[in-house]
């Protein structure tokens, strides 16, 4: 595991999951499984692979399953031990050893910016990462690691970006930026969910950020924006005027797993990659007369 200058990460997980109803009526969307692993575990594993040691999850009502998932499951572990299921036991135990977890409740759904602000007292005066659970990144070098490498060079906030078709920019935060080297941009401005004709580029913010503590003062000053919510993008916009900020074009495939079609695509591709399931699953897919 690499040693890292960024050791804390915030994972906002208080959203209502309205894009995935009815599955998310009584279950957290973060617990939807890609093959057999909940979405949020992929995100935690990416953070840990990038050197993160402390994970702060912003939760809300109805999100208890997330806490249970990253806790020790005494009865389950005893049962697996008694039945000699050693491999599964190790896999289950490893989940609660991934990092130090701590949970903050966001009492009102006031948006992503507000969710990040809820963890202010746990961050102190150090850089930290924010990872959004809807964005699953399949990359040879973990996406967050790619960004920490940039942070280590410049000690400035870094936002993960990828190009998207112009017709889709209205679903994302979009940057206005100057290229400084390959895959690296200096951010001049950001706009949350612009109309295609008003978008400053087609470089969309995908859910990975390395932030510095100044963001909290900016969030404090940020009025409600799109959808009446306090937007992280709007606070970054304030900060971009005061401080150098970079956009790192992330290598790897990104899935919007919070969207039904994106989730299906991710399920198929992760299923095909699994050593134990890939072969029969591929045969099955080929047998479908598409
Ligand atoms: C959030 C951010 C947006 C970003 C997106 C990435 O939007 O507000 O700037 O581009 O995540 O997935 P949401 O998808 O929560 O509406």
């Amino acid at each position: 595991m690499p040693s890292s200058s960024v050791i804390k990460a915030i994972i906002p997980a208080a959203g209502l999951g309205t894009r995935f109803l009815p599955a998310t009526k009584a279950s957290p969307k973060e617990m939807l499984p890609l093959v057999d692993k909940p979405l949020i575990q992929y995100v935690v594993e990416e953070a840990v692979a990038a050197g993160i040691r402390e994970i702060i999850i912003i939760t809300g009502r109805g999100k208890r399953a997330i806490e249970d998932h990253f806790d020790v499951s005494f009865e389950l572990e005893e049962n697996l031990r008694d039945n000699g299921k050693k491999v599964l036991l190790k896999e289950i135990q490893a989940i609660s050893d991934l990092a130090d977890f701590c949970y903050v409740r966001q009492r009102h759904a006031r948006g992503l910016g507000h969710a990040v602000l809820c963890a202010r007292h746990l961050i102190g005066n150090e850089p930290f990462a924010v990872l959004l659970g809807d964005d699953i990144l399949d990359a040879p070098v973990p996406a967050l690691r790619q960004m920490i490498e940039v942070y280590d060079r410049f000690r400035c906030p870094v936002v993960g970006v990828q190009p998207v078709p112009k017709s889709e920019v209205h679903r994302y935060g979009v940057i206005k930026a100057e290229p400084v080297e390959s895959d690296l941009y200096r951010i001049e401005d950001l706009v949350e969910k612009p109309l295609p004709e008003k978008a400053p580029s087609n470089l969309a913010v995908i859910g990975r950020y390395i932030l510095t503590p100044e963001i909290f003062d900016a969030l404090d000053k940020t009025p409600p924006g799109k959808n009446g919510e306090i937007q992280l993008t709007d606070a970054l916009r304030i900060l971009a005027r005061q401080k150098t900020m970079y956009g790192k074009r992330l290598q790897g495939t990104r899935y919007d797993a919070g969207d039904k079609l994106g989730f299906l695509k991710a399920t198929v591709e992760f299923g095909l990659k699994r050593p134990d399931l890939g072969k029969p699953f591929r045969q099955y897919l080929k047998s479908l007369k598409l």
Side-chain angles (χ1 to χ4, degrees), residues 19 29 112 132 134-135 171-174 191-193 204-209 227 229 231-233 254 256:
R19 287 197 293 162
K29 75 167 172 185
L112 176 60
L132 307 187
D134 284 350
D135 292 303
R171 298 169 55 189
Y172 301 93
V174 175
V191 196
E192 180 66 8
K193 305 198 169 81
V205 175
I206 57 146
R208 300 291 182 273
Y209 309 81
N227 305 326
E229 296 179 340
Q231 298 291 346
L232 182 56
T233 306
R254 174 245 176 195
D256 179 5

Side-chain angles (χ1 to χ4, degrees), residues 14 58-61 105-112 114-115 118:
I58 313 298
T59 68
R61 283 180 290 281
R105 297 269 285 213
Q106 184 185 16
R107 286 175 295 167
H108 304 285
R110 292 204 183 126
L112 176 60
H114 178 254
C118 288

